[in-house]
Amino acid sequence: MSINYQTCPLCQSTQGREFYHDDRRNYFRCQTCHLSFVPSSQFLSASAEQAEYDLHQNSPADQRYRKFLSRLFTPLAARLPSGSCGLDFGSGPGPTLSVMFEEIGHVVAIYDIFYAKDESVFEQQYDFITATEVVEHLHHPREELERLWICLKPGGTLAVMTKLARDREAFARWHYKDDLSHVCFFSQPTFHWLAAHWQATLTFVNQDVVFLVKSFVGQC
């Protein structure tokens, strides 16, 4: 039986092997960086994707949403010097994390491909960059994450919140894959690959929050 392979959108390996499918999509897992991903032919259109996000009712006034974001906000805020400059990447229709950091004295720019598409933010350097529930939506994760990494100052933190993929059995019953706007599924080994690629310090803060700290020397 022939084996179907796809090029990994993160590490560019040609060893993305199909490991699961359902009645809507096929899912590949890279044998190099262990990213799980959906082939681009099965992505939602841009209009359909935005329609999904338009349904979100998140805002700074929503205390439940603030509590959800606090899983990343609290540990990141504890390590930031006062007056740090940050970027909230994928801020969504109701930017909230940026407001939370501004409330404690930091300066935060926002970017969202649908709601705040200001490309000038990528011309700046930041002490921290947040990506909460966004990396799973990236169509071109290598290019998009590299762009963020370049914008991060040495010693700065890229803070990511995303659910982590596990083995095939867990993946099969995982609700996270059922959102059709989710096309990239990171795992612990994927973040270890990223840390090695960037020569970064990696910390798994909790079950869905990851910090990558940029070193002062030896960057790619």
Side-chain angles (χ1 to χ4, degrees):
M1 181 178 68
S2 63
I3 298 174
N4 190 7
Y5 287 94
Q6 291 268 340
T7 299
C8 175
L10 180 61
C11 73
Q12 305 298 303
S13 163
T14 57
Q15 296 302 305
R17 181 174 179 175
E18 185 173 0
F19 84 110
Y20 184 75
H21 68 271
D22 55 30
D23 58 358
R24 296 181 298 177
R25 303 195 293 181
N26 303 89
Y27 305 88
F28 291 77
R29 177 161 289 176
C30 179
Q31 305 303 296
T32 299
C33 72
H34 298 276
L35 182 79
S36 301
F37 60 94
V38 173
S40 59
S41 61
Q42 297 176 353
F43 289 176
L44 292 176
S45 66
S47 59
E49 188 174 358
Q50 182 171 352
E52 288 288 325
Y53 305 147
D54 287 344
L55 298 174
H56 296 180
Q57 300 297 316
N58 303 324
S59 79
D62 186 338
Q63 294 303 313
R64 289 180 299 177
Y65 187 48
R66 281 177 172 254
K67 183 178 180 180
F68 169 74
L69 294 175
S70 70
R71 300 210 298 270
L72 179 146
F73 170 78
T74 300
L76 181 56
R79 63 167 58 197
L80 293 177
S82 61
S84 291
C85 180
L87 171 66
D88 182 17
F89 177 75
S91 52
T96 300
L97 191 58
S98 57
V99 173
M100 294 167 67
F101 280 109
E102 287 169 347
E103 288 171 346
I104 61 171
H106 303 300
V107 178
V108 185
I110 63 172
Y111 178 85
D112 191 280
I113 193 171
F114 293 113
Y115 305 104
K117 195 174 182 181
D118 178 5
E119 300 288 333
S120 69
V121 300
F122 300 113
E123 299 170 5
Q124 309 299 319
Q125 291 278 293
Y126 301 98
D127 301 301
F128 67 98
I129 298 174
T130 60
T132 57
E133 293 293 311
V134 63
V135 297
E136 62 274 11
H137 299 280
L138 298 181
H139 290 187
H140 306 285
R142 185 182 184 94
E143 292 86 346
E144 290 157 312
L145 291 175
E146 291 284 4
R147 179 165 65 165
L148 294 182
W149 197 248
I150 289 170
C151 292
L152 194 65
K153 295 178 182 178
T157 301
L158 173 60
V160 177
M161 177 187 287
T162 190
K163 302 293 185 188
L164 298 181
R166 296 187 293 161
D167 57 55
R168 187 184 185 280
E169 182 180 354
F171 192 93
R173 59 178 186 270
W174 196 28
H175 74 281
Y176 212 57
K177 75 178 187 312
D178 298 330
D179 184 331
L180 296 182
S181 67
H182 291 180
V183 296
C184 284
F185 307 96
F186 289 66
S187 64
Q188 284 201 1
T190 308
F191 282 109
H192 280 292
W193 182 90
L194 265 178
H197 174 66
W198 285 334
Q199 300 179 44
T201 301
L202 173 66
T203 303
F204 291 97
V205 177
N206 58 49
Q207 63 183 357
D208 59 357
V209 174
V210 179
F211 289 172
L212 290 146
V213 177
K214 192 170 188 176
S215 67
F216 285 90
V217 294
Q219 294 303 315
C220 298

